[in-house]
Amino acid sequence: MKREEALKLRMDILKFVRMFGFMDSLNKPLGRPLSVSQVMALEELESTKLTAWELANKLMLERSSVSRLVDKLIKEGFVCREVNEKNRREIHLSLTDKGEVTVHQIREQSIEFYQNVLMNLSELEQKKVVDGFELLIKSISELTCKTNREN
């Protein structure tokens, strides 16, 4: 890839992230704004209990950042802490009923949002967008794995 194409890709991704962040902040689940990291944490906890360390690894964030994030989610009633009865030093995080409802609402809002975004494109263009994102994610994942093996 030429340098100019890489620069254009960089600028387009930055523009997308800014636009996505702006549009996403308009949706406030249960009347409360949630950060992208908070939403991602709720989604990770949707189907399983995790320790703060496991959640930090899945979110690719520092444990201290996840600790603050989790404290806010607990304060708002989305997440609860549970002591692991087999290892009392281990604390598991899980969604509350409010957290479950919120994850479902966010998913439905985002599906509707993306349907509206893609509605302006032909079926072929829609497929190109979806396929392009899959390819980009695959390439980033492969590069990340390669870099981690080398370090």
Side-chain angles (χ1 to χ4, degrees):
M1 174 180 270
K2 294 180 182 174
R3 179 178 168 80
E4 296 82 28
E5 291 169 328
L7 181 59
K8 180 173 179 355
L9 176 62
R10 178 184 182 276
M11 296 306 293
D12 287 346
I13 288 174
L14 289 174
K15 185 186 291 185
F16 171 80
V17 169
R18 280 193 304 270
M19 289 174 71
F20 174 77
F22 171 73
M23 291 177 187
D24 195 49
S25 68
L26 296 177
N27 294 321
K28 297 180 180 176
L30 301 178
R32 300 184 185 277
L34 293 169
S35 71
V36 172
S37 294
Q38 289 172 321
V39 170
M40 290 172 64
L42 294 177
E43 288 180 354
E44 289 295 341
L45 292 168
E46 182 177 20
S47 58
T48 188
K49 295 178 182 181
L50 298 171
T51 66
W53 178 254
E54 292 167 331
L55 184 59
N57 287 335
K58 287 184 175 284
L59 296 176
M60 293 183 262
L61 295 171
E62 295 294 323
R63 189 162 179 216
S64 59
S65 298
V66 170
S67 180
R68 287 188 299 275
L69 181 144
V70 167
D71 286 345
K72 288 179 185 176
L73 291 173
I74 289 170
K75 183 178 178 184
E76 294 294 325
F78 297 115
V79 172
C80 64
R81 288 185 177 103
E82 302 170 13
V83 175
N84 180 353
E85 293 302 322
K86 295 178 182 176
N87 178 357
R88 304 222 20 105
R89 292 179 292 163
E90 191 174 84
I91 305 294
H92 286 141
L93 304 169
S94 62
L95 293 183
T96 62
D97 290 341
K98 180 179 177 180
E100 293 278 351
V101 168
T102 301
V103 167
H104 178 75
Q105 288 177 337
I106 291 169
R107 181 172 297 112
E108 292 306 311
Q109 288 172 344
S110 64
I111 289 170
E112 184 178 335
F113 171 77
Y114 288 112
Q115 284 176 324
N116 288 333
V117 167
L118 294 173
M119 171 187 330
N120 296 320
L121 305 174
S122 70
E123 284 188 36
L124 179 60
E125 290 170 326
Q126 291 175 21
K127 182 166 177 26
K128 285 181 181 180
V129 169
V130 172
D131 291 347
F133 265 99
E134 286 178 7
L135 286 172
L136 187 61
I137 289 167
K138 179 182 176 199
S139 181
I140 292 170
S141 178
E142 289 171 359
L143 180 64
T144 302
C145 289
K146 180 183 173 187
T147 303
N148 288 341
R149 283 192 305 267
E150 291 173 358
N151 291 332

